[in-house]
Amino acid sequence: MKKIINKGFSLSLSPSGSGIKPGARFDSSISVRSSTTSTATSTASAAETNMNSPCREKLFVEHCKGVNGLEKVVLREVRGCSAEIYLYGGQVISWKNEYGEELLFLSSKATFTHPKPIRGGIPICFPQFANHGSLEKHGFARSRVWSIDPDPPPFSANSSSQACVDLILKHSEEEVKIWPHRYEFRLRITLGPGGDLMLTSRIRNTNTDGKSFAFTFAYHTYFAVSDISEVRVEGLETLDYLDNLKDKERFTEQGDAITFESEVSVCSNLDDSRIALV
């Protein structure tokens, strides 16, 4: 098997097909450890429960300029781990462990110019994942400029000792012309004391006409791998999936791990699943 250097492995954790009523909220989070074990959970709720205070520790958060003068935020952890987040796309584009090793893939052809999304890192796909709808592929959130949330609500995870940043994206009147819904998308990105990276999303329906809306959503993560032939993905056994290379035909995963000898493009249904990239 040919050794592939500096290529990206993409894993999308996608709690999709959800419908939320006006005033209700959809919550989702992904926690990724430097050992590349990931968990994804999602819930829909209309009220907040069991909430702790938002981030207090700002000693390791830097606001600065990135490529093409775009605004970015750098999170650092005391042992040397770091994460870089661009407000363009609300996107994590770098995540390094304590040895300075890059854990995310960023294409050498990535452009940091509107309207093209940044290719690599962790794009936020909303309100549409892939081509499952009438919008542009993966939706428009990844090519919008997010804002720093000046007054973030409390989140369920206690992050008082963690470096984090709170972003917010709201509908624009131009967007309403192509997707006729109003929303509020809050995103917290946290770098934990051990270098663990956590993304927590809250999507609220702010329609004033009483209408619910449905959407699909994903954290479209690109992991950096040195040799794709040595990669295994565990935790998908017995799950149904759609094979995109076979006209989205449905299959059930039989093996205890997925390995890669040729191109693979599948969509699996996950519910509170733990995925390990080994």
Side-chain angles (χ1 to χ4, degrees), residues 126-128 130-140 175 178-179:
F126 174 83
Q128 177 181 298
N131 294 314
H132 303 300
S134 60
L135 300 175
E136 61 184 280
K137 185 177 182 181
H138 294 323
F140 45 70
E175 275 177 5
I178 60 173
W179 195 63

Side-chain angles (χ1 to χ4, degrees), residues 12-172:
S12 298
L13 299 178
S14 177
S16 60
S18 301
I20 51 178
K21 298 178 180 179
R25 191 188 70 228
F26 170 90
D27 293 354
S28 177
S29 67
I30 173 177
S31 178
V32 194
R33 298 180 178 177
S34 56
S35 60
T36 61
T37 299
S38 307
T39 60
T41 62
S42 61
T43 60
S45 62
E48 299 176 2
T49 58
N50 300 323
M51 296 299 161
N52 297 313
S53 58
C55 297
R56 302 188 192 92
E57 182 59 71
K58 297 298 182 182
L59 296 177
F60 301 103
V61 180
E62 178 187 3
H63 296 257
C64 52
K65 300 286 187 180
V67 179
N68 292 337
L70 295 175
E71 297 283 344
K72 72 174 183 178
V73 178
V74 181
L75 305 180
R76 293 187 176 88
E77 183 266 341
V78 66
R79 296 191 307 173
C81 302
S82 66
E84 292 186 22
I85 304 99
Y86 272 71
L87 269 60
Y88 180 61
Q91 188 163 329
V92 180
I93 61 97
S94 175
W95 174 38
K96 294 181 180 179
N97 61 20
E98 60 189 289
Y99 305 107
E101 298 169 332
E102 181 59 66
L103 304 177
L104 297 178
F105 169 77
L106 182 67
S107 173
S108 60
K109 298 180 180 179
T111 59
F112 291 74
T113 306
H114 186 269
K116 295 198 67 173
I118 301 171
R119 184 167 181 260
I122 309 179
I124 302 295
C125 301
F126 174 83
Q128 177 181 298
F129 176 62
N131 294 314
H132 303 300
S134 60
L135 300 175
E136 61 184 280
K137 185 177 182 181
H138 294 323
F140 45 70
R142 63 190 185 133
S143 57
R144 285 278 311 279
V145 177
W146 296 54
S147 301
I148 300 293
D149 194 344
D151 187 25
F155 280 66
S156 57
N158 187 357
S159 51
S160 61
S161 63
Q162 301 170 336
C164 68
V165 62
D166 290 286
L167 305 181
I168 187 168
L169 181 68
K170 297 182 179 181
H171 69 274
S172 70

Side-chain angles (χ1 to χ4, degrees), residues 213-247:
F213 64 72
F215 61 92
T216 51
F217 164 82
Y219 302 107
H220 200 327
T221 311
Y222 288 80
F223 291 108
V225 298
S226 58
D227 187 348
I228 191 64
S229 68
E230 298 295 327
V231 171
R232 293 163 52 90
V233 179
E234 300 175 350
L236 299 176
E237 60 270 18
T238 74
L239 292 179
D240 289 345
Y241 66 89
L242 303 179
D243 192 328
N244 293 323
L245 302 181
K246 296 182 179 180
D247 295 325

